[in-house]
Amino acid sequence: IRIRRRPDYWAMNQRRNVGTANFDVLQQIVVRDENLEYEMFKKGDLDYFVVSRAQMWVEELNYANIKRGLIQKRKVFNHNPSGVTGVAMNTRREPYNDIRVRKALRHLFNRELMVEKMMFNEYLLMDSMFPSSVYLNPNNEKVRYDPQKALQLLAEAGWKDRNSAGRLTKNDQPLNIEIVYATQGFERYFTIFQEDLRKVGITLNLRFVTFETLVKLLDERTFGMAHIGYTGEVFPSPEANWRSDLADQKNTNNITGFKNKRADEIIALYEKEFNFNKRVTLLQEFDGIITNEHSWILTWSAPYERYLYWNKFGQPKGIITRIGDLRDIPSMWWIDPAQAQRLNDALRDPAIQLGEGPSDDRYWLEFAKLEAQGNPVTQ
């Protein structure tokens, strides 16, 4: 997809637009395979790449073009609200309609091990539907890996007998569950989950589908558990995701079938409240209600994004906006002609070094500190 910039845009000189839209042409290429996307980036077919795997960031980004500075790596910290990610459970269906089963499954998802061993402690465990934000309820229960607690909850829900194969049963029926997912890279975490469930007598089927199929299953409510993520919001609007009257309607974002009278009351109050501090208080209570329904196996979040890019761009301080993400790149960066020429020279001459540059960019965190101290800050 090629997008050309209009040179006669009527609002080009408005203050909010000055310095943006610096590329005359943007070319967007759809690449469905992340590994292929990375190989295309290394060849120079793509200008930037978002690193989603901690292992890659920690162990694999030490090849010549990075060490010489032809490719820059940046971990950009800002205040972009973290969205909720994890495994959503369809509470309209058995066995997920029992909160004890849902909570037990959360206790069997060993996030601590995954973050430590597979993600090099690069992530924070998520215990809220509004992670890393002022709306997070600090009193939310911190559900951690605990097989014994899980078995206790399952027994209370009636899953306490075992068949000849050692599988947990209720009314002579084994406990078989399924996760559908569209991100193949997440499969390595689900196989750990699958093995831990097998140890306690639960069979987990893993079903990889296209994103389009996943959305269809969610919209039609024809799933048991689904791996999904939502982007964060600076000013959350819970109505679309959690209102009770949407629970039994198809094609809405209330995918888990959540219903709660008090939550509906909070939504109504929140929609009419203009005082920011009161809005925060309302959403913190709301967060406590929905999180403690245990309809999500929450995963993890990070207060940053990790980028690789060819060293030919000019950038504003902070790389992206204070609450932005990778979508800021096409609108805020520009080609630096001198830097682009140095990159071309370095591609021809392996002796030329462009410098790695700092790995971490914490401009917006420092900005917030100065702001909190009442010091004037300029961009």
Side-chain angles (χ1 to χ4, degrees):
I1 302 171
R2 293 174 65 86
I3 305 168
R4 294 189 177 277
R5 181 170 66 93
R6 291 187 60 131
D8 59 346
Y9 174 44
W10 64 271
M12 184 183 301
N13 295 318
Q14 286 192 359
R15 184 171 181 267
R16 65 167 293 170
N17 295 324
V18 172
T20 67
N22 302 301
F23 300 109
D24 289 331
V25 178
L26 295 174
Q27 179 169 307
Q28 297 183 338
I29 303 173
V30 177
V31 185
R32 290 186 178 270
D33 184 285
E34 188 176 34
N35 293 325
L36 175 60
E37 180 189 2
Y38 181 50
E39 293 302 319
M40 292 175 65
F41 166 77
K42 287 198 295 183
K43 287 170 56 181
D45 294 337
L46 303 175
D47 287 319
Y48 62 89
F49 178 78
V50 180
V51 180
S52 61
R53 292 195 299 114
Q55 182 177 7
M56 173 184 284
W57 185 261
V58 174
E59 292 188 339
E60 301 175 18
L61 302 181
N62 55 4
Y63 51 89
N65 279 349
I66 289 179
K67 303 300 288 184
R68 292 174 54 208
L70 280 65
I71 292 174
Q72 296 286 306
K73 54 183 287 190
R74 292 289 186 277
K75 182 188 289 185
V76 181
F77 294 80
N78 68 352
H79 301 103
N80 183 29
S82 296
V84 62
T85 61
V87 178
M89 290 179 270
N90 187 351
T91 65
R92 308 170 189 86
R93 287 187 167 193
E94 294 184 350
Y96 314 106
N97 58 346
D98 192 316
I99 190 173
R100 295 166 297 188
V101 173
R102 300 197 299 268
K103 188 174 181 182
L105 292 174
R106 291 191 68 190
H107 277 300
L108 290 167
F109 194 77
N110 196 347
R111 300 185 295 168
E112 301 95 297
L113 174 70
M114 297 173 192
V115 169
E116 178 185 356
K117 300 297 184 183
M118 304 175 72
M119 290 177 280
F120 304 86
N121 287 316
E122 286 267 308
Y123 294 89
L124 305 175
L125 298 184
M126 192 180 293
D127 296 302
S128 164
M129 303 305 286
F130 304 103
S132 304
S133 78
V134 295
Y135 308 107
L136 178 152
N137 188 324
N139 298 317
N140 285 349
E141 183 179 0
K142 310 300 186 287
V143 177
R144 299 294 181 261
Y145 181 65
D146 189 339
Q148 294 307 310
K149 179 65 176 176
L151 285 172
Q152 177 186 333
L153 288 164
L154 289 168
E156 292 173 4
W159 298 95
K160 54 187 176 181
D161 298 322
R162 293 185 183 272
N163 61 18
S164 59
R167 293 293 180 254
L168 281 175
T169 63
K170 179 180 179 181
N171 300 326
D172 296 325
Q173 296 299 313
L175 184 48
N176 296 324
I177 57 179
E178 180 183 73
I179 293 178
V180 293
Y181 56 99
T183 305
Q184 195 159 19
F186 226 83
E187 198 166 278
R188 59 185 186 145
Y189 308 115
F190 291 149
T191 54
I192 293 176
F193 188 36
Q194 187 180 48
E195 178 61 19
D196 285 335
L197 289 175
R198 185 194 65 78
K199 290 176 182 177
V200 299
I202 301 172
T203 299
L204 172 64
N205 179 51
L206 303 180
R207 179 154 62 112
F208 177 64
V209 298
T210 65
F211 182 74
E212 292 84 355
T213 299
L214 177 63
V215 171
K216 187 171 187 280
L217 293 171
L218 292 171
D219 285 348
E220 295 180 354
R221 317 309 193 206
T222 53
F223 72 98
M225 295 191 294
H227 176 243
I228 192 70
Y230 291 96
T231 56
E233 299 173 288
V234 180
F235 302 106
S237 179
E239 179 179 11
N241 294 335
W242 303 106
R243 219 174 61 210
S244 295
D245 63 338
L246 299 177
D248 296 323
Q249 296 183 35
K250 295 182 179 180
N251 304 304
T252 74
N253 281 344
N254 191 339
I255 59 175
T256 64
F258 174 80
K259 295 180 182 179
N260 184 278
K261 181 179 179 181
R262 176 55 185 163
D264 289 338
E265 292 172 352
I266 293 173
I267 289 172
L269 292 170
Y270 177 81
E271 292 298 317
K272 298 177 181 178
E273 182 58 65
F274 286 87
N275 182 281
F276 178 72
N277 292 329
K278 291 181 180 179
R279 286 167 66 87
V280 168
T281 300
L282 286 168
L283 274 200
Q284 285 183 345
E285 181 187 351
F286 185 83
D287 184 39
I289 294 171
I290 59 175
T291 303
N292 291 321
E293 277 290 304
H294 305 292
S295 55
W296 281 70
I297 301 174
L298 298 172
T299 52
W300 40 75
S301 63
Y304 54 75
E305 286 198 344
R306 296 171 297 215
Y307 304 122
L308 298 176
Y309 58 89
W310 285 94
N311 195 359
K312 59 183 177 181
F313 295 103
Q315 303 154 326
K317 292 179 180 178
I319 306 293
I320 54 179
T321 61
R322 186 173 187 172
I323 56 173
D325 56 23
L326 66 98
R327 290 169 291 188
D328 288 336
I329 292 175
S331 63
M332 295 182 62
W333 291 15
W334 63 91
I335 296 290
D336 183 315
Q339 191 65 25
Q341 184 59 54
R342 287 193 291 269
L343 173 61
N344 288 333
D345 294 342
L347 286 169
R348 291 190 294 267
D349 183 353
I352 295 178
Q353 304 286 327
L354 300 184
E356 288 191 66
S359 176
D360 290 2
D361 189 297
R362 299 176 180 269
Y363 172 79
W364 288 114
L365 302 189
E366 298 302 320
F367 184 102
K369 289 179 182 178
L370 292 173
E371 190 177 52
Q373 295 168 4
N375 296 329
V377 184
T378 56
Q379 171 71 326

